[in-house]
Amino acid sequence: MSALRNLVAGATASLAVAVPALGAGTSIRLADTGTTSSRVFAELAAQALTAQGFTVTRTTATSPLAAEADLTAGVIDAYTTDTATLLERVLAQPKQRNDTTLATSLTSLLAARAQVPLAIAPADDAPQVACRRSVVKTHKLTGVLSLGRAAKNLSYAAPAAHLVRADGLASLRVTFRRVVRANATTRFDLIARAKVHCVLSSGAEPRAARLNLVALRDLTRRLAGTPRHDLVVTTQAYVASAPATFAPILTTVAGLVTTDALRTLVGQVELDAQDPALVTQGFLRANGIIP
């Protein structure tokens, strides 16, 4: 994580006590890419920038590729996505499991497009296998690598795409006793009712946390693949024209978005049906970013 931390290192003092209107007269068109985490991250950035005098216009792109096209065309000034989506879908590069070199790689790849990765959050929402706590204890599951000896006794629920992708179920290299195809809501309902033993989850999945599931360690990132950190993508031209406070504001906010924090924010939006703008506003106030 050292290179990643170096990239996002910057101002960490509370923005709430900074000089008012640091970005006065500066406009930014900021898009999210449709996922809850992307929207939450965009709202956090937008509100922090607004508090410093920036005029922020928020939009939602239909996909990460659409956001990238809009950025290239000058329709927007920045968008939020995650490092895995950026690397694999937008930049069409293979997985990179080494978190230490990920930020450096993204910086180099985006530079070829006259773009810049900013404010990479420490939260990692990469895929995980999560199991009921009793199952972990009974089968002495210590991580993904221990699934091999226990899988013949376990049932597993996952969405259809995961079951056929080479980097999905196949990457676990195990054969479960039973595999159930189920979407996000359904599969967590199944494990809540003890109909399956384990499910496909992710680092910031609020349903797994509320069910007190245990995420199996994936030290080799066999399933997790590229770390999935939220970040902002913008252009070199925008950074050059923006106030010097622009990047530090985003960096400070991003540094607060740990996996636990993201899980809580996503849960409030997806499970508690709260307004993302209000959820992020409360988070920023609690952390002294906005008054």
Side-chain angles (χ1 to χ4, degrees):
M1 289 286 287
S2 57
L4 180 63
R5 286 171 178 160
N6 288 338
L7 181 67
V8 302
T12 55
S14 169
L15 295 175
V17 298
V19 178
L22 296 175
T26 304
S27 298
I28 181 169
R29 298 162 295 177
L30 176 63
D32 65 75
T33 47
T35 65
T36 303
S37 62
S38 173
R39 186 176 180 187
V40 163
F41 202 62
E43 287 292 337
L44 290 170
Q47 291 187 36
L49 290 169
T50 298
Q52 297 303 320
F54 287 76
T55 299
V56 183
T57 301
R58 281 277 292 109
T59 58
T60 298
T62 56
S63 71
L65 292 176
E68 169 62 21
D70 286 345
L71 184 64
T72 301
V75 176
I76 59 174
D77 301 305
Y79 67 90
T80 56
T81 184
D82 66 78
T83 51
T85 299
L86 177 62
L87 181 72
E88 297 169 25
R89 292 187 59 190
V90 175
L91 300 175
Q93 298 295 309
K95 291 180 183 296
Q96 184 169 140
R97 293 174 168 82
N98 189 339
D99 211 345
T100 303
T101 60
L102 178 59
T104 302
S105 295
L106 289 175
T107 299
S108 177
L109 291 164
L110 288 177
R113 300 183 177 210
Q115 295 174 0
V116 182
L118 292 178
I120 301 180
D124 186 356
D125 194 28
Q128 295 179 336
V129 173
C131 303
R132 302 202 311 267
R133 193 166 293 275
S134 60
V135 170
V136 172
K137 182 178 180 180
T138 298
H139 295 280
K140 296 181 173 57
L141 299 178
T142 57
V144 167
L145 295 179
S146 67
L147 271 174
R149 53 181 167 73
K152 64 180 181 297
N153 300 309
L154 303 176
S155 53
Y156 179 64
H162 173 76
L163 303 182
V164 298
R165 287 170 58 107
D167 59 351
L169 176 60
S171 70
L172 294 176
R173 304 170 201 165
V174 299
T175 302
F176 288 100
R177 184 184 75 193
R178 182 169 67 102
V179 175
V180 180
R181 183 170 60 186
N183 63 28
T185 301
T186 305
R187 70 177 184 268
F188 285 100
D189 287 343
L190 288 172
I191 199 166
R193 292 186 285 117
K195 299 296 183 182
V196 297
H197 299 97
C198 303
V199 295
L200 174 67
S201 184
S202 68
E205 173 54 67
R207 295 167 182 82
R210 295 194 183 187
L211 290 171
N212 197 29
L213 303 182
V214 177
L216 301 185
R217 290 179 299 169
D218 188 6
L219 299 180
T220 62
R221 303 195 71 87
R222 177 177 289 185
L223 174 63
T226 304
R228 192 174 293 274
H229 306 292
D230 284 302
L231 80 163
V232 175
V233 180
T234 187
T235 63
Q236 294 173 350
Y238 187 84
V239 172
S241 65
T245 53
F246 172 64
I249 289 169
L250 296 180
T251 296
T252 300
V253 173
L256 299 172
V257 185
T258 62
T259 301
D260 286 344
L262 181 61
R263 187 185 302 117
T264 297
L265 292 167
V266 170
Q268 290 173 330
V269 174
E270 291 187 350
L271 305 185
D272 302 332
Q274 295 185 36
D275 185 337
L278 295 179
V279 166
T280 51
Q281 182 183 74
F283 178 79
L284 292 172
R285 281 180 175 161
N287 285 280
I289 301 298
I290 62 176

